[in-house]
Amino acid sequence: MFPRDRVISSLTKYSIPFDNGATDDQLRTVLAEFYAKRTLTHQPIDPQDCAAAILFLAGPQSRCTTDI
């Protein structure tokens, strides 16, 4: 999702230790886990999670849900 140099920049910015020999996916996972710890769920959220929420909110099961 993010280019390697951007991920490394973020890891460095937050002083998160990482292995320069790690793959792009491994580095992204380390960064995602860091960000997840800062959320209410403490879990990484992937595109499928977002899609499921959008489908729910756009569907008939959420007819009594408001955004207020």
Side-chain angles (χ1 to χ4, degrees), residues 56-68:
F56 171 79
L57 292 171
Q61 293 178 332
S62 69
R63 66 180 183 78
C64 294
T65 303
T66 66
D67 63 353
I68 301 174

Side-chain angles (χ1 to χ4, degrees), residues 2-68:
F2 294 112
R4 182 181 183 90
D5 60 332
R6 183 171 173 190
V7 173
I8 289 174
S9 175
S10 293
L11 292 169
T12 303
K13 174 182 174 182
Y14 294 113
S15 300
I16 302 168
F18 64 93
D19 176 10
N20 276 322
T23 66
D24 293 355
D25 284 338
Q26 290 170 326
L27 293 175
R28 288 184 192 112
T29 298
V30 170
L31 186 59
E33 289 170 353
F34 168 77
Y35 284 138
K37 291 176 186 173
R38 299 169 58 180
T39 68
L40 293 175
T41 64
H42 299 284
Q43 296 181 23
I45 298 171
D46 61 30
Q48 291 85 356
D49 296 323
C50 294
I54 291 167
L55 289 173
F56 171 79
L57 292 171
Q61 293 178 332
S62 69
R63 66 180 183 78
C64 294
T65 303
T66 66
D67 63 353
I68 301 174

